[in-house]
Amino acid sequence: MDPYAVPELTPRQRASTDLKDYLVGATPLQKRLESVKKQASVVPTPPRRKIPQCSQLQEDVHPCKFAFLLHKQWTLYSLTPLYKFSYNHLKEYSRLLSAFITAEKQKGLAVEVGEDFNVKILSKSQLPLENGGGKVLWTGWFCCVFGDSLLDTVSEDFTCLPLFLANGAESNTAIIGTWFQKTFDCYFSPLAINAFNLSWMAAMWTACKMDHYVATTEFLWSVPCSPQSLDISYAIHPEDAKALWDSVHKTPGEVTQEEVDLFMDCLCSHFHRHFRIHLSATRLVRVSTSVASAHTDGKIKILCHKYLIGVLAYLTELAIFQIE
């Protein structure tokens, strides 16, 4: 897990459009990763997964170093391997990126930094316990948790960190991402989460054992209609959601596709019984639990440090499947 990077973009007035335009480009690395794409396209979603367990973080890593990951909304991207990236050159990368941002700012591009901005690219072991007094305007971090399926497909010249998360202004994400893509011949792509994977998240996170619940279990369905869509929010007490899960769960330590389907069917049947609305005709767009919350547009907020590794492992899996 290492901070900093992102997609290609430009000025504030065109940030959203440019982000989309830059991310559809291809790099020479695409051919090298074609085999990965083919493998991902034919490999079906596993019919069963392990229930996330408490994070087994290294004992010498202070928990506060991971506090910046929690209770923030992160935007997800998948990322192809970085060419000739070295952890030994992080200070040099910081200097070059700072110079690049300064040059882009002088061009009049929408870079949301102050006069005395400071860019730091750090490894996990270098993360500070606190923010050192300065205001953090933007944070990005690379991640690879149990990503062996991708690591085994590329040469040693490439560093595989397939999941990237960003928090901050989209214009900053764009400009910083541009530098990383040009420097390491990598490619960022927004990582959306479809309803199928949201259902898996809801089941796996509901199955997690919690010392205490910090949030209501909530689902958001979108109803396509004109002139604008209608959203249906469905909130459940977390203990009731866990009781429902326990009633359908039959495989100790694992979550199966059959159990996920049954769990969601029970929720939809209960809703229909009370409101006469068929949620099967709508689209699931967000799930929220005490472990984490996720939205179909690729936004996630991690709430529980105990299951940090489990959440990141599943997101890494989704990012690898998307790489083209």
Side-chain angles (χ1 to χ4, degrees), residues 233-278:
S233 179
Y234 184 4
I236 308 168
H237 192 283
E239 293 182 354
D240 293 336
K242 182 63 164 63
L244 173 60
W245 169 255
D246 290 341
S247 71
V248 302
H249 180 50
K250 304 301 180 184
T251 53
E254 292 183 333
V255 177
T256 68
Q257 181 65 62
E258 181 181 2
E259 291 170 345
V260 173
D261 293 341
L262 185 55
F263 177 67
M264 297 303 296
D265 288 344
C266 288
L267 290 172
C268 292
S269 297
H270 177 77
F271 192 86
H272 177 264
R273 187 160 55 249
H274 286 276
F275 303 103
R276 299 302 177 188
I277 295 176
H278 290 283

Short mmCIF file of all heavy atoms in Angstrom, two decimals, residues 233-278:
data_model
loop_
_atom_site.label_atom_id
_atom_site.label_comp_id
_atom_site.label_asym_id
_atom_site.label_seq_id
_atom_site.Cartn_x
_atom_site.Cartn_y
_atom_site.Cartn_z
N SER A 233 -34.38 3.83 -0.37
CA SER A 233 -33.47 3.51 0.70
C SER A 233 -34.11 2.48 1.63
O SER A 233 -35.27 2.61 2.02
CB SER A 233 -33.11 4.78 1.50
OG SER A 233 -32.24 4.47 2.57
N TYR A 234 -33.33 1.46 1.99
CA TYR A 234 -33.84 0.35 2.79
C TYR A 234 -32.86 0.15 3.95
O TYR A 234 -31.77 -0.39 3.77
CB TYR A 234 -33.91 -0.89 1.89
CG TYR A 234 -34.50 -2.13 2.49
CD1 TYR A 234 -35.04 -2.18 3.77
CD2 TYR A 234 -34.52 -3.32 1.75
CE1 TYR A 234 -35.58 -3.34 4.29
CE2 TYR A 234 -35.06 -4.49 2.25
CZ TYR A 234 -35.59 -4.49 3.53
OH TYR A 234 -36.12 -5.65 4.04
N ALA A 235 -33.22 0.63 5.14
CA ALA A 235 -32.35 0.56 6.32
C ALA A 235 -32.79 -0.57 7.25
O ALA A 235 -33.99 -0.77 7.48
CB ALA A 235 -32.35 1.89 7.06
N ILE A 236 -31.83 -1.31 7.78
CA ILE A 236 -32.10 -2.44 8.65
C ILE A 236 -31.18 -2.35 9.86
O ILE A 236 -29.99 -2.00 9.73
CB ILE A 236 -31.82 -3.78 7.93
CG1 ILE A 236 -32.55 -3.82 6.59
CG2 ILE A 236 -32.22 -4.97 8.78
CD1 ILE A 236 -32.11 -4.96 5.71
N HIS A 237 -31.68 -2.68 11.03
CA HIS A 237 -30.82 -2.71 12.20
C HIS A 237 -29.74 -3.77 11.95
O HIS A 237 -30.04 -4.88 11.51
CB HIS A 237 -31.63 -3.07 13.45
CG HIS A 237 -30.88 -2.84 14.72
ND1 HIS A 237 -29.91 -3.71 15.17
CD2 HIS A 237 -30.95 -1.84 15.64
CE1 HIS A 237 -29.40 -3.27 16.30
NE2 HIS A 237 -30.02 -2.13 16.62
N PRO A 238 -28.48 -3.44 12.22
CA PRO A 238 -27.39 -4.39 11.90
C PRO A 238 -27.53 -5.75 12.58
O PRO A 238 -27.13 -6.77 12.01
CB PRO A 238 -26.14 -3.64 12.39
CG PRO A 238 -26.63 -2.58 13.32
CD PRO A 238 -27.97 -2.19 12.80
N GLU A 239 -28.11 -5.79 13.77
CA GLU A 239 -28.29 -7.08 14.44
C GLU A 239 -29.36 -7.92 13.73
O GLU A 239 -29.25 -9.14 13.66
CB GLU A 239 -28.66 -6.87 15.90
CG GLU A 239 -27.53 -6.26 16.72
CD GLU A 239 -27.90 -6.09 18.18
OE1 GLU A 239 -29.08 -6.35 18.53
OE2 GLU A 239 -27.03 -5.70 18.97
N ASP A 240 -30.38 -7.25 13.18
CA ASP A 240 -31.40 -7.97 12.41
C ASP A 240 -30.81 -8.50 11.11
O ASP A 240 -31.13 -9.61 10.68
CB ASP A 240 -32.59 -7.05 12.12
CG ASP A 240 -33.36 -6.66 13.37
OD1 ASP A 240 -33.28 -7.43 14.36
OD2 ASP A 240 -34.02 -5.60 13.37
N ALA A 241 -29.95 -7.69 10.47
CA ALA A 241 -29.30 -8.14 9.24
C ALA A 241 -28.40 -9.34 9.51
O ALA A 241 -28.38 -10.31 8.74
CB ALA A 241 -28.49 -6.99 8.63
N LYS A 242 -27.68 -9.30 10.63
CA LYS A 242 -26.80 -10.43 10.99
C LYS A 242 -27.62 -11.67 11.30
O LYS A 242 -27.26 -12.80 10.91
CB LYS A 242 -25.96 -10.04 12.21
CG LYS A 242 -24.96 -11.12 12.65
CD LYS A 242 -23.92 -11.37 11.55
CE LYS A 242 -22.71 -12.13 12.09
NZ LYS A 242 -23.01 -13.47 12.57
N ALA A 243 -28.77 -11.50 11.96
CA ALA A 243 -29.63 -12.64 12.26
C ALA A 243 -30.17 -13.27 10.98
O ALA A 243 -30.24 -14.50 10.86
CB ALA A 243 -30.78 -12.20 13.16
N LEU A 244 -30.53 -12.43 10.00
CA LEU A 244 -31.00 -12.94 8.72
C LEU A 244 -29.89 -13.70 8.02
O LEU A 244 -30.11 -14.80 7.49
CB LEU A 244 -31.50 -11.79 7.84
CG LEU A 244 -31.87 -12.16 6.40
CD1 LEU A 244 -32.99 -13.20 6.38
CD2 LEU A 244 -32.28 -10.92 5.60
N TRP A 245 -28.68 -13.12 8.04
CA TRP A 245 -27.56 -13.82 7.41
C TRP A 245 -27.31 -15.17 8.08
O TRP A 245 -27.11 -16.17 7.40
CB TRP A 245 -26.30 -12.96 7.47
CG TRP A 245 -25.09 -13.74 7.08
CD1 TRP A 245 -24.10 -14.23 7.88
CD2 TRP A 245 -24.77 -14.20 5.76
NE1 TRP A 245 -23.19 -14.95 7.16
CE2 TRP A 245 -23.58 -14.96 5.85
CE3 TRP A 245 -25.38 -14.05 4.51
CZ2 TRP A 245 -22.99 -15.55 4.75
CZ3 TRP A 245 -24.79 -14.65 3.40
CH2 TRP A 245 -23.61 -15.38 3.52
N ASP A 246 -27.31 -15.21 9.39
CA ASP A 246 -27.06 -16.46 10.11
C ASP A 246 -28.11 -17.52 9.75
O ASP A 246 -27.82 -18.72 9.76
CB ASP A 246 -27.08 -16.21 11.62
CG ASP A 246 -25.87 -15.42 12.09
OD1 ASP A 246 -24.86 -15.37 11.35
OD2 ASP A 246 -25.92 -14.83 13.20
N SER A 247 -29.33 -17.06 9.41
CA SER A 247 -30.39 -18.02 9.09
C SER A 247 -30.21 -18.66 7.72
O SER A 247 -30.72 -19.76 7.47
CB SER A 247 -31.76 -17.33 9.16
OG SER A 247 -31.93 -16.41 8.08
N VAL A 248 -29.46 -18.00 6.83
CA VAL A 248 -29.25 -18.56 5.48
C VAL A 248 -27.84 -19.11 5.30
O VAL A 248 -27.57 -19.82 4.32
CB VAL A 248 -29.53 -17.49 4.39
CG1 VAL A 248 -30.94 -16.96 4.51
CG2 VAL A 248 -28.51 -16.36 4.45
N HIS A 249 -26.97 -18.81 6.24
CA HIS A 249 -25.56 -19.20 6.12
C HIS A 249 -25.37 -20.64 6.59
O HIS A 249 -25.70 -20.99 7.72
CB HIS A 249 -24.70 -18.26 6.96
CG HIS A 249 -23.24 -18.56 6.91
ND1 HIS A 249 -22.55 -18.75 5.73
CD2 HIS A 249 -22.32 -18.72 7.90
CE1 HIS A 249 -21.29 -18.99 5.99
NE2 HIS A 249 -21.12 -18.99 7.31
N LYS A 250 -24.81 -21.49 5.71
CA LYS A 250 -24.66 -22.91 6.00
C LYS A 250 -23.21 -23.39 5.92
O LYS A 250 -22.92 -24.51 6.32
CB LYS A 250 -25.51 -23.73 5.03
CG LYS A 250 -26.99 -23.34 5.00
CD LYS A 250 -27.65 -23.47 6.36
CE LYS A 250 -29.13 -23.07 6.29
NZ LYS A 250 -29.78 -23.11 7.62
N THR A 251 -22.30 -22.58 5.38
CA THR A 251 -20.92 -23.03 5.17
C THR A 251 -19.98 -22.24 6.07
O THR A 251 -19.67 -21.09 5.78
CB THR A 251 -20.51 -22.82 3.70
OG1 THR A 251 -20.77 -21.46 3.32
CG2 THR A 251 -21.29 -23.74 2.79
N PRO A 252 -19.53 -22.83 7.17
CA PRO A 252 -18.67 -22.13 8.14
C PRO A 252 -17.43 -21.52 7.49
O PRO A 252 -16.71 -22.19 6.73
CB PRO A 252 -18.29 -23.23 9.14
CG PRO A 252 -19.39 -24.23 9.03
CD PRO A 252 -19.80 -24.22 7.58
N GLY A 253 -17.20 -20.23 7.77
CA GLY A 253 -15.99 -19.57 7.28
C GLY A 253 -16.04 -19.13 5.85
O GLY A 253 -15.10 -18.49 5.35
N GLU A 254 -17.12 -19.45 5.13
CA GLU A 254 -17.21 -19.10 3.72
C GLU A 254 -18.56 -18.47 3.39
O GLU A 254 -19.55 -18.65 4.10
CB GLU A 254 -17.02 -20.34 2.83
CG GLU A 254 -15.63 -20.91 2.87
CD GLU A 254 -15.49 -22.08 1.91
OE1 GLU A 254 -16.50 -22.75 1.63
OE2 GLU A 254 -14.37 -22.33 1.45
N VAL A 255 -18.56 -17.74 2.28
CA VAL A 255 -19.80 -17.20 1.72
C VAL A 255 -19.95 -17.79 0.33
O VAL A 255 -19.01 -17.74 -0.48
CB VAL A 255 -19.74 -15.66 1.62
CG1 VAL A 255 -21.01 -15.12 0.96
CG2 VAL A 255 -19.57 -15.04 3.01
N THR A 256 -21.10 -18.35 0.02
CA THR A 256 -21.33 -18.94 -1.29
C THR A 256 -22.29 -18.08 -2.11
O THR A 256 -23.02 -17.26 -1.56
CB THR A 256 -21.92 -20.36 -1.17
OG1 THR A 256 -23.25 -20.27 -0.64
CG2 THR A 256 -21.07 -21.22 -0.25
N GLN A 257 -22.26 -18.29 -3.43
CA GLN A 257 -23.17 -17.56 -4.30
C GLN A 257 -24.62 -17.83 -3.94
O GLN A 257 -25.47 -16.93 -3.94
CB GLN A 257 -22.91 -17.94 -5.76
CG GLN A 257 -23.80 -17.20 -6.76
CD GLN A 257 -23.50 -15.72 -6.77
OE1 GLN A 257 -22.39 -15.31 -7.10
NE2 GLN A 257 -24.47 -14.89 -6.43
N GLU A 258 -24.92 -19.08 -3.61
CA GLU A 258 -26.29 -19.43 -3.24
C GLU A 258 -26.74 -18.66 -2.00
O GLU A 258 -27.88 -18.18 -1.93
CB GLU A 258 -26.38 -20.93 -2.98
CG GLU A 258 -27.77 -21.42 -2.60
CD GLU A 258 -27.81 -22.91 -2.33
OE1 GLU A 258 -26.75 -23.55 -2.39
OE2 GLU A 258 -28.91 -23.43 -2.05
N GLU A 259 -25.84 -18.52 -1.02
CA GLU A 259 -26.18 -17.79 0.20
C GLU A 259 -26.36 -16.30 -0.06
O GLU A 259 -27.25 -15.66 0.51
CB GLU A 259 -25.09 -18.01 1.25
CG GLU A 259 -25.06 -19.44 1.79
CD GLU A 259 -23.85 -19.72 2.64
OE1 GLU A 259 -22.88 -18.93 2.59
OE2 GLU A 259 -23.86 -20.73 3.36
N VAL A 260 -25.53 -15.74 -0.93
CA VAL A 260 -25.68 -14.33 -1.29
C VAL A 260 -27.04 -14.09 -1.94
O VAL A 260 -27.76 -13.15 -1.59
CB VAL A 260 -24.55 -13.89 -2.25
CG1 VAL A 260 -24.81 -12.47 -2.76
CG2 VAL A 260 -23.20 -13.95 -1.54
N ASP A 261 -27.40 -14.95 -2.89
CA ASP A 261 -28.69 -14.81 -3.57
C ASP A 261 -29.85 -14.95 -2.59
O ASP A 261 -30.81 -14.17 -2.64
CB ASP A 261 -28.81 -15.87 -4.67
CG ASP A 261 -27.83 -15.64 -5.82
OD1 ASP A 261 -27.33 -14.51 -5.94
OD2 ASP A 261 -27.57 -16.61 -6.56
N LEU A 262 -29.76 -15.91 -1.69
CA LEU A 262 -30.84 -16.13 -0.74
C LEU A 262 -30.95 -14.97 0.24
O LEU A 262 -32.06 -14.54 0.58
CB LEU A 262 -30.59 -17.44 0.02
CG LEU A 262 -31.71 -17.89 0.99
CD1 LEU A 262 -33.04 -17.99 0.25
CD2 LEU A 262 -31.34 -19.23 1.63
N PHE A 263 -29.83 -14.45 0.68
CA PHE A 263 -29.81 -13.30 1.59
C PHE A 263 -30.51 -12.10 0.95
O PHE A 263 -31.38 -11.46 1.56
CB PHE A 263 -28.37 -12.97 1.94
CG PHE A 263 -28.19 -11.76 2.82
CD1 PHE A 263 -28.64 -11.76 4.14
CD2 PHE A 263 -27.55 -10.62 2.34
CE1 PHE A 263 -28.46 -10.65 4.96
CE2 PHE A 263 -27.38 -9.51 3.14
CZ PHE A 263 -27.82 -9.51 4.46
N MET A 264 -30.15 -11.79 -0.30
CA MET A 264 -30.75 -10.65 -0.98
C MET A 264 -32.21 -10.91 -1.30
O MET A 264 -33.05 -9.99 -1.22
CB MET A 264 -29.96 -10.34 -2.26
CG MET A 264 -28.52 -9.91 -2.04
SD MET A 264 -28.34 -8.46 -0.96
CE MET A 264 -29.18 -7.21 -1.96
N ASP A 265 -32.57 -12.14 -1.68
CA ASP A 265 -33.97 -12.47 -1.96
C ASP A 265 -34.85 -12.29 -0.72
O ASP A 265 -35.99 -11.81 -0.83
CB ASP A 265 -34.08 -13.91 -2.48
CG ASP A 265 -33.55 -14.07 -3.89
OD1 ASP A 265 -33.39 -13.04 -4.57
OD2 ASP A 265 -33.32 -15.22 -4.30
N CYS A 266 -34.32 -12.67 0.43
CA CYS A 266 -35.08 -12.50 1.68
C CYS A 266 -35.32 -11.03 1.98
O CYS A 266 -36.42 -10.63 2.40
CB CYS A 266 -34.34 -13.16 2.84
SG CYS A 266 -34.36 -14.97 2.81
N LEU A 267 -34.32 -10.21 1.75
CA LEU A 267 -34.47 -8.77 1.98
C LEU A 267 -35.52 -8.19 1.03
O LEU A 267 -36.38 -7.40 1.45
CB LEU A 267 -33.13 -8.07 1.76
CG LEU A 267 -32.03 -8.33 2.79
CD1 LEU A 267 -30.71 -7.72 2.33
CD2 LEU A 267 -32.43 -7.74 4.14
N CYS A 268 -35.44 -8.57 -0.23
CA CYS A 268 -36.40 -8.05 -1.22
C CYS A 268 -37.82 -8.54 -0.93
O CYS A 268 -38.79 -7.78 -1.09
CB CYS A 268 -35.96 -8.47 -2.62
SG CYS A 268 -34.42 -7.69 -3.19
N SER A 269 -37.95 -9.79 -0.51
CA SER A 269 -39.28 -10.33 -0.19
C SER A 269 -39.89 -9.61 1.01
O SER A 269 -41.09 -9.29 1.03
CB SER A 269 -39.18 -11.83 0.10
OG SER A 269 -38.74 -12.54 -1.04
N HIS A 270 -39.05 -9.32 2.01
CA HIS A 270 -39.53 -8.61 3.19
C HIS A 270 -40.00 -7.21 2.80
O HIS A 270 -41.05 -6.74 3.27
CB HIS A 270 -38.40 -8.52 4.22
CG HIS A 270 -38.78 -7.74 5.44
ND1 HIS A 270 -39.57 -8.25 6.45
CD2 HIS A 270 -38.48 -6.47 5.83
CE1 HIS A 270 -39.74 -7.34 7.40
NE2 HIS A 270 -39.08 -6.25 7.04
N PHE A 271 -39.24 -6.55 1.93
CA PHE A 271 -39.60 -5.20 1.49
C PHE A 271 -40.91 -5.22 0.70
O PHE A 271 -41.78 -4.37 0.88
CB PHE A 271 -38.48 -4.61 0.63
CG PHE A 271 -38.61 -3.14 0.36
CD1 PHE A 271 -38.13 -2.21 1.26
CD2 PHE A 271 -39.24 -2.68 -0.80
CE1 PHE A 271 -38.25 -0.85 1.02
CE2 PHE A 271 -39.37 -1.33 -1.05
CZ PHE A 271 -38.87 -0.41 -0.14
N HIS A 272 -41.06 -6.21 -0.17
CA HIS A 272 -42.28 -6.31 -0.98
C HIS A 272 -43.50 -6.59 -0.10
O HIS A 272 -44.60 -6.06 -0.35
CB HIS A 272 -42.13 -7.42 -2.02
CG HIS A 272 -43.36 -7.63 -2.84
ND1 HIS A 272 -44.31 -8.60 -2.54
CD2 HIS A 272 -43.82 -6.98 -3.95
CE1 HIS A 272 -45.29 -8.54 -3.43
NE2 HIS A 272 -45.02 -7.58 -4.29
N ARG A 273 -43.31 -7.39 0.93
CA ARG A 273 -44.42 -7.71 1.82
C ARG A 273 -44.97 -6.46 2.52
O ARG A 273 -46.17 -6.36 2.76
CB ARG A 273 -43.96 -8.73 2.85
CG ARG A 273 -45.09 -9.29 3.73
CD ARG A 273 -44.69 -10.60 4.38
NE ARG A 273 -43.46 -10.49 5.15
CZ ARG A 273 -42.32 -11.07 4.83
NH1 ARG A 273 -42.24 -11.80 3.72
NH2 ARG A 273 -41.25 -10.95 5.58
N HIS A 274 -44.10 -5.51 2.79
CA HIS A 274 -44.53 -4.30 3.49
C HIS A 274 -44.93 -3.16 2.55
O HIS A 274 -45.85 -2.38 2.88
CB HIS A 274 -43.41 -3.80 4.41
CG HIS A 274 -43.24 -4.64 5.64
ND1 HIS A 274 -44.00 -4.47 6.77
CD2 HIS A 274 -42.39 -5.67 5.91
CE1 HIS A 274 -43.63 -5.34 7.70
NE2 HIS A 274 -42.66 -6.10 7.19
N PHE A 275 -44.27 -3.05 1.38
CA PHE A 275 -44.50 -1.89 0.53
C PHE A 275 -45.01 -2.22 -0.86
O PHE A 275 -45.25 -1.33 -1.67
CB PHE A 275 -43.20 -1.08 0.41
CG PHE A 275 -42.65 -0.63 1.73
CD1 PHE A 275 -41.57 -1.28 2.31
CD2 PHE A 275 -43.22 0.44 2.41
CE1 PHE A 275 -41.05 -0.87 3.53
CE2 PHE A 275 -42.71 0.86 3.63
CZ PHE A 275 -41.63 0.21 4.20
N ARG A 276 -45.13 -3.50 -1.18
CA ARG A 276 -45.64 -3.94 -2.48
C ARG A 276 -44.79 -3.39 -3.63
O ARG A 276 -45.31 -3.04 -4.70
CB ARG A 276 -47.10 -3.51 -2.67
CG ARG A 276 -48.04 -4.10 -1.63
CD ARG A 276 -48.00 -5.61 -1.65
NE ARG A 276 -48.86 -6.20 -0.61
CZ ARG A 276 -48.89 -7.49 -0.31
NH1 ARG A 276 -48.10 -8.33 -0.97
NH2 ARG A 276 -49.68 -7.95 0.63
N ILE A 277 -43.52 -3.33 -3.41
CA ILE A 277 -42.58 -2.86 -4.44
C ILE A 277 -41.60 -3.99 -4.74
O ILE A 277 -41.00 -4.56 -3.82
CB ILE A 277 -41.82 -1.61 -4.00
CG1 ILE A 277 -42.78 -0.43 -3.81
CG2 ILE A 277 -40.73 -1.24 -5.02
CD1 ILE A 277 -42.11 0.82 -3.29
N HIS A 278 -41.45 -4.33 -6.01
CA HIS A 278 -40.51 -5.38 -6.42
C HIS A 278 -39.13 -4.77 -6.64
O HIS A 278 -38.87 -4.12 -7.66
CB HIS A 278 -40.99 -6.05 -7.71
CG HIS A 278 -42.22 -6.89 -7.54
ND1 HIS A 278 -42.20 -8.14 -6.96
CD2 HIS A 278 -43.53 -6.63 -7.86
CE1 HIS A 278 -43.43 -8.65 -6.94
NE2 HIS A 278 -44.25 -7.75 -7.47
#
